[in-house]
Amino acid sequence: MITITLKDGVKREYEQPLSAYEAAKSIGAGLAKAACAAKINDEVCDLRAMIAADCTLDILTFDTPEGRWAFRHTAVHVLAQAVKRLCPEAKFAIGPAIEDGFYYDFDIEKPFTPEDLEKIEAEMKKIVKDDIKLEQFELSFEDASKQFADEPYKIELIKELHEKGENLLFYKQDDFTDLCGGPHLMSTGGIKAFKLLSSTGAYWRGSEKNKMLCRVYGTAFPKALMIEEHLAKIEEAKKRDHNKLGRELELFTTSEHIGQGLPVLMPKGAKIIQILQRFIEDLEESKGYQLTKTPSFAKSDLYKISGHYERYWDKMFIVGDEEKDREVFALRPMTCPFQFQAYMNRARSYRDLPIRYNETATLFRNEASGEMHGLIRIRQFTLAEGHIVCAPEQVEKEFLDAVDLARHIFKVLGLEDDVYYRFSKWDENNRDKYIGDPEMWEKTQDFMRVILDKMGINYYEADGEAAFYGPKLDIQIKNVYGKEDTLITIQIDFQLAERFGMVYVDSDGEKKHPIIIHRSSIGCYERTLALLIEKYAGAFPLWLAPEQVRILPIADRHNEFCESLVKTLKIHSIRADIDSRSEKVGFKIREAQLQKIPYMLVIGDSEVETGQVSVRSRKEGDLGVMSVDALCDKLNIEIIEKTI
């Protein structure tokens, strides 16, 4: 007798082994129809998985992340089979499910056009209509190598899996077979609604050193209505996409002559960054931080001490050749080893601690070309970076304060409800990635977990995401397309102080190594600007708007008064400009609205005579006539309070 304990605690007994799918059918036909995968003893598996002993069982539907993954993973195979039928000469790379969809990379002679995607979709519909069963099987290395001899990318993957000692699993659906560990739906008929979204280029394994492949993106849902809602969401995201909107509003641009991942901030974008930097530096100073200004590059010796040269060199821009140059330099990817030198400038006592350094630092990272996107992932960026050097007994308070500072800034920016928290730990099964003693890693992670629990914030844990020298709290955020990025990192470093010989004399007269907290308060300014563009669709809060007031003279005779008005507003630290073009005022208002200007002042004969202004708000429309002093008071209150 086999006892299966379901998610709700109900136990069901079976006389003989059965598959997870058969178990779902025994519970209810509706559940079996909606089932995408299963979780047996907390391990996600295929619905074909056999149950031969007592276990816990959770049937995973599309409503679960694992169920959606299996559903869309099956859609990937439908896409691949359709391409195989239409383009038998195509070579197949990889095709995973991703959040909100899927993609498959193909090596083909010419990239797929929109017309090609329509033909592929039509073939996919035939495959779905035929309701082809998916069959899982395993092959030996020799048999797999023979069967996929004409598929170079699959052969590469097969060899890697074989070298790791992993089983070579495959799925077959009629005339198509793919290397795949699953899980999948029982048949192709379950993919009720799908849409191919785009065809783009992507380097094999994300490296520009490899061949450029054709990547086809798509998405799939159980119901047509769900896909319609998703496509509407994508269209809304396109309107807010910072890469499009930021260029239209002339916040930034790019140039082929400068290079990929090296954006040029236009005056408006540069003004927003300047406002943010001044805000952050003043705020950090009020919290006891001391500003440093360190070089943008250093000898490779510095990075060798920290361990970055060994473990991070592929992300660094190296200047020179160790085999022929007396000195080799590298552009800095972070400031920590530089700020450590400020600490080591003289002897330190426990009375000096904690020491908090902050810096508005220009950093450089050699991102792969396929990874870069607008202002979110670039090769040169500006970071509000800082390091807190403290005694062990000070770590908890300093860590809490660093997190509180970041949360305060998110609240001011209006991003508080958009961020979430990831506790990034080391991977004990891949210790070569890290430095230090395993016991110390575990001890530090346990200590950090206690701090996070005391804060009462919701976080999830992620193995293998720690820095090579310590665990960290990553504050995560998603762009309008749902792509996740790290906005801020706060990490506890129990190792680099010793590597650099950083010490302090404790109250007992003994020299000890401090603990270092690496932290940021706002993260990368360029990435933050991108997220703010998308958050507000370019309509920034007044305090951040590069142009806060647009003055609109009705006729040329009003220009002189408008010019004096600009001077008055600037005296009150309000950023204003005049639209003095010989256009109708209605046209000027529409232009100002399109450029997301917070306030517009319409100036005609009456305003010139009375010295007052007619005020229009971007959000509220016509606010009527008011004195210039009243307007300045209103705007300055909104600016000082940083009203969202």
Side-chain angles (χ1 to χ4, degrees), residues 129-188:
K129 185 179 179 181
D130 290 343
D131 195 20
I132 303 167
K133 288 185 178 180
L134 280 82
E135 304 171 30
Q136 186 187 50
F137 62 95
E138 184 176 343
L139 288 176
S140 67
F141 173 67
E142 291 75 16
D143 289 342
S145 299
K146 290 178 184 177
Q147 183 162 339
F148 288 86
D150 293 332
E151 294 287 350
Y153 303 100
K154 297 300 179 185
I155 288 294
E156 184 176 327
L157 296 172
I158 287 168
K159 286 180 179 177
E160 287 184 5
L161 291 171
H162 177 64
E163 288 170 1
K164 292 178 181 178
E166 297 184 22
N167 295 336
L168 298 175
L169 299 176
F170 299 84
Y171 276 82
K172 182 180 186 298
Q173 56 194 59
D174 194 20
D175 56 349
F176 177 74
T177 300
D178 206 352
L179 171 69
C180 181
H184 282 286
L185 303 186
M186 298 299 288
S187 67
T188 61

Side-chain angles (χ1 to χ4, degrees), residues 471-635:
K472 56 195 174 89
L473 175 68
D474 289 323
I475 303 180
Q476 305 292 102
I477 196 165
K478 293 180 180 179
N479 67 13
V480 287
Y481 295 108
K483 172 71 168 60
E484 177 181 319
D485 275 299
T486 299
L487 190 55
I488 283 178
T489 287
I490 302 171
Q491 55 202 69
I492 298 176
D493 169 11
F494 55 92
Q495 308 199 63
L496 293 188
E498 183 174 354
R499 290 176 75 105
F500 276 91
M502 298 168 66
V503 296
Y504 68 96
V505 178
D506 207 354
S507 57
D508 58 6
E510 295 292 324
K511 287 186 176 180
K512 296 180 180 177
H513 297 294
I515 304 296
I516 300 165
I517 297 173
H518 303 243
R519 51 100 269 174
S520 181
S521 54
I522 193 174
C524 166
Y525 283 101
E526 290 87 353
R527 182 174 292 179
T528 301
L529 173 58
L531 294 164
L532 290 172
I533 293 170
E534 295 183 349
K535 171 74 175 181
Y536 297 109
F540 298 103
L542 181 66
W543 73 280
L544 274 178
E547 183 182 350
Q548 295 169 320
V549 176
R550 175 76 58 85
I551 302 171
L552 311 176
I554 293 176
D556 290 347
R557 63 181 179 273
H558 307 129
N559 286 349
E560 185 177 348
F561 177 81
C562 292
E563 288 169 4
S564 66
L565 189 55
V566 167
K567 293 177 181 177
T568 301
L569 292 173
K570 288 186 176 179
I571 289 171
H572 287 82
S573 299
I574 296 168
R575 297 182 289 278
D577 204 352
I578 306 172
D579 185 348
S580 57
R581 294 176 297 172
S582 299
E583 300 283 358
K584 292 182 179 180
V585 73
F587 175 84
K588 293 181 181 181
I589 290 172
R590 287 192 297 275
E591 284 281 293
Q593 289 278 12
L594 288 172
Q595 292 180 37
K596 320 286 186 179
I597 310 299
Y599 288 95
M600 291 145 274
L601 308 182
V602 180
I603 306 299
D605 291 338
S606 175
E607 287 75 20
V608 172
E609 288 177 17
T610 62
Q612 295 186 313
V613 290
S614 295
V615 184
R616 286 187 63 86
S617 164
R618 179 182 64 198
K619 293 188 294 184
E620 303 169 69
D622 189 0
L623 299 182
V625 177
M626 63 180 71
S627 70
V628 176
D629 286 343
L631 172 68
C632 290
D633 288 343
K634 170 182 169 57
L635 299 190

Side-chain angles (χ1 to χ4, degrees), residues 303 306-315 431-436 468-469 499:
Y303 307 108
S306 67
H308 288 101
Y309 202 78
E310 177 188 355
R311 290 175 168 79
Y312 208 77
W313 71 270
D314 58 329
K315 289 287 187 181
R431 296 183 180 182
D432 290 342
K433 284 176 59 178
Y434 311 95
I435 60 175
F468 67 83
Y469 48 81
R499 290 176 75 105

